[in-house]
Amino acid sequence: MNKRVNKIQQTKLIDGIEALKKMWEIRIFEEMIQELFSAGELYGTMHLCIGQEATAVGGAGILRQNDWIVSTHRNHGHCIAKGTDIRSMFAEMLGKKTGTNEGKGGSMHVADLDVGNLGSNGIVGAGFPIAAGAALSAQMQGTDQVVLCYAGDGATNEGSFHEALNLASIWQLPVIYLIENNQYGMSSSIKQMVNIDKLSNRAMSYGIEGITIDGNNLTEVSQTVSNAVEKARNGGGPTLIEALTYRHKGHSKSDKLLYRSEDECQQWKENNDPIFRLESELMKEGTLLEADIRKIEKTIRQELADIVDSVKLDSEPTIEDLWTHVYAEDEV
C-alpha cells in the first residue's frame, strides 16, 4: 500500500456551546419530523435518534469535512452532525426536489458527498463493508482520511460485521466502527441476543482495540473518537467503540414499546439524557446560565419551524425525475 503523503492535521476538539446547539438542532429536528408524520405530511418510515445525540455530535462532529461517515437507518443525527444542510434534510423527509437526494431517498437513505457523508442504509449491517471499502480507498490513495462507521448493537450479529472487522484488521484500515448500543435491537434486549458483557470484546477476535464508553457523555465520546481517529490517521489501524446509550422513542414509527418498561424509559430520560447532562456541565463550570440555554433552545425551535414552513412550499419531483440517477449518464 502507498504511504500517506498528506500532512497529518489534528482532529478538531469539540466546543461545548456549539455542541449543545447542534444536539438541540438534532433533537428538535427529530421532534418536528415526528409531528409532521403524525399530521400526515410525511410518508414512509422513520427511525428517530432522540436520546442518542451525544454519539452523533461527539463522533461525526469532530471529523474533518473530507473524512467520511457511513450511517444507518437511524441516521438523521449523524448526517446533521457531519454538516449536511438541515433545510435539505427537511426537504428530503418531505419528498421535495430540494432534498439532499432530490426527495428520492427519504428518511433512511440520506447521502451528502460534499461533506463526506457516504450515505445511510436501510439494510442492517450493510455499512460495515462500505466503510471498509472507503477506508481502503483512502489507504491506497495515500491520503490521511478516515472513515467513521455508525451501527446499532443488533448489527454486530450480522455476518458483514465480522467480515468487515477481519478485513479492516488484516489491512490495518483507517476506520472506526462506532456501535451505538441503545440496549435494544428492534424489540429484543441486547442481553438476549449476545452472551458477552461488552460488545467491544468482539474486537479481540480480530486483533484490534475495543473500547466501551458512556455514549451519553459528550466529552467521553468526542475524546475517545478523537483518539481513535488520530490513531487511524497515523496508520494505527481500526478501532471498535461501543457507546452505551438509549433511544427515547421506539425502534420505528410503528413501535408500541411493549418490550420495555415505562419506568426504565423514564429513568434514562431523567438521569441520563445527553443534552441535559451537557447543559448541567456547562452551567456548573459557569459557561452558560439556565436562561442562556433556554434562549438557545427557543431560537433553534423558531429557526427550524421557519425552515419547515419554507420547505413545504418547495416543488416535488416530476415524473421525468424517475429516470435520473438510475442509469449511468454519458459524459459530454
Side-chain angles (χ1 to χ4, degrees), residues 53-98:
E53 295 87 356
T55 51
V57 176
I62 62 98
L63 299 176
R64 300 194 321 228
Q65 182 168 323
N66 70 333
D67 289 328
W68 293 312
I69 66 165
V70 177
S71 188
T72 70
H73 52 271
R74 201 175 310 284
N75 63 334
H76 305 155
H78 309 151
C79 299
I80 294 171
K82 189 61 175 71
T84 297
D85 177 61
I86 206 161
R87 189 188 192 284
S88 297
M89 289 280 292
F90 273 122
E92 187 63 30
M93 301 301 111
L94 289 168
K96 301 294 185 178
K97 176 79 172 178
T98 52

Side-chain angles (χ1 to χ4, degrees), residues 12-24 57-58 61-62 218-219 222 274-275 277-283 285 287-288 293 296 300:
K12 63 183 180 183
L13 296 178
I14 203 117
D15 175 81
I17 296 176
E18 291 306 311
L20 180 63
K21 290 178 180 179
K22 187 62 65 175
M23 289 167 72
W24 266 118
V57 176
I62 62 98
L218 176 74
T219 302
S222 63
I275 292 181
R277 284 178 63 178
L278 178 58
E279 289 180 346
S280 179
E281 291 174 12
L282 293 174
M283 286 189 289
E285 66 187 29
T287 304
L288 289 174
I293 293 172
I296 288 172
I300 294 173

Side-chain angles (χ1 to χ4, degrees), residues 125-146:
F128 294 125
I130 294 172
L136 177 60
S137 75
Q139 188 182 71
M140 294 182 70
Q141 293 178 80
T143 73
D144 66 346
Q145 293 166 284
V146 302

Side-chain angles (χ1 to χ4, degrees), residues 17-279:
I17 296 176
E18 291 306 311
L20 180 63
K21 290 178 180 179
K22 187 62 65 175
M23 289 167 72
W24 266 118
E25 267 190 9
I26 293 169
R27 177 159 300 187
I28 295 169
F29 177 90
E30 296 289 68
E31 290 173 352
M32 289 185 173
I33 288 298
Q34 186 173 37
E35 290 171 5
L36 288 166
F37 181 85
S38 298
E41 298 182 70
L42 188 153
Y43 302 95
T45 190
M46 61 180 180
H47 302 78
L48 304 178
C49 68
I50 295 175
Q52 300 183 197
E53 295 87 356
T55 51
V57 176
I62 62 98
L63 299 176
R64 300 194 321 228
Q65 182 168 323
N66 70 333
D67 289 328
W68 293 312
I69 66 165
V70 177
S71 188
T72 70
H73 52 271
R74 201 175 310 284
N75 63 334
H76 305 155
H78 309 151
C79 299
I80 294 171
K82 189 61 175 71
T84 297
D85 177 61
I86 206 161
R87 189 188 192 284
S88 297
M89 289 280 292
F90 273 122
E92 187 63 30
M93 301 301 111
L94 289 168
K96 301 294 185 178
K97 176 79 172 178
T98 52
T100 54
N101 304 96
E102 299 185 7
K104 297 180 178 182
S107 176
M108 288 195 293
H109 303 99
V110 175
D112 185 2
L113 300 184
D114 289 340
V115 297
N117 179 358
L118 295 181
S120 313
N121 208 303
I123 302 173
V124 176
F128 294 125
I130 294 172
L136 177 60
S137 75
Q139 188 182 71
M140 294 182 70
Q141 293 178 80
T143 73
D144 66 346
Q145 293 166 284
V146 302
V147 186
L148 178 63
C149 177
Y150 283 99
D153 46 276
T156 64
N157 285 332
E158 296 288 339
S160 58
F161 169 80
H162 302 279
E163 294 169 350
L165 262 69
N166 186 55
L167 192 67
S169 175
I170 292 170
W171 289 344
Q172 289 292 280
L173 299 179
V175 57
I176 299 95
Y177 291 105
L178 179 54
I179 308 301
E180 295 176 307
N181 183 352
N182 60 26
Q183 318 302 314
Y184 293 92
M186 196 169 195
S187 61
S188 299
S189 168
I190 189 62
K191 295 177 182 178
Q192 297 175 297
M193 306 307 291
V194 300
N195 195 29
I196 52 177
D197 294 330
K198 297 179 179 180
L199 295 178
S200 61
N201 287 343
R202 288 184 159 174
M204 292 187 292
S205 301
Y206 305 103
I208 66 176
E209 182 181 11
I211 310 167
T212 295
I213 62 172
D214 181 350
N216 285 358
N217 182 323
L218 176 74
T219 302
E220 187 172 349
V221 174
S222 63
Q223 190 58 64
T224 303
V225 173
S226 179
N227 292 342
V229 165
E230 292 310 313
K231 183 180 77 169
R233 287 203 205 285
N234 286 281
T239 304
L240 175 67
I241 302 171
E242 175 191 18
L244 302 176
T245 183
Y246 197 82
R247 54 174 166 79
H248 292 183
K249 302 295 182 177
H251 170 72
S252 65
K253 62 177 178 58
S254 58
D255 189 351
K256 303 300 182 182
L257 288 175
L258 301 178
Y259 50 86
R260 65 187 193 186
S261 70
E262 189 173 315
D263 181 64
E264 177 188 293
C265 295
Q266 198 61 31
Q267 286 295 319
W268 276 89
K269 291 177 182 179
E270 291 179 357
N271 302 324
N272 212 359
D273 184 287
I275 292 181
F276 300 158
R277 284 178 63 178
L278 178 58
E279 289 180 346

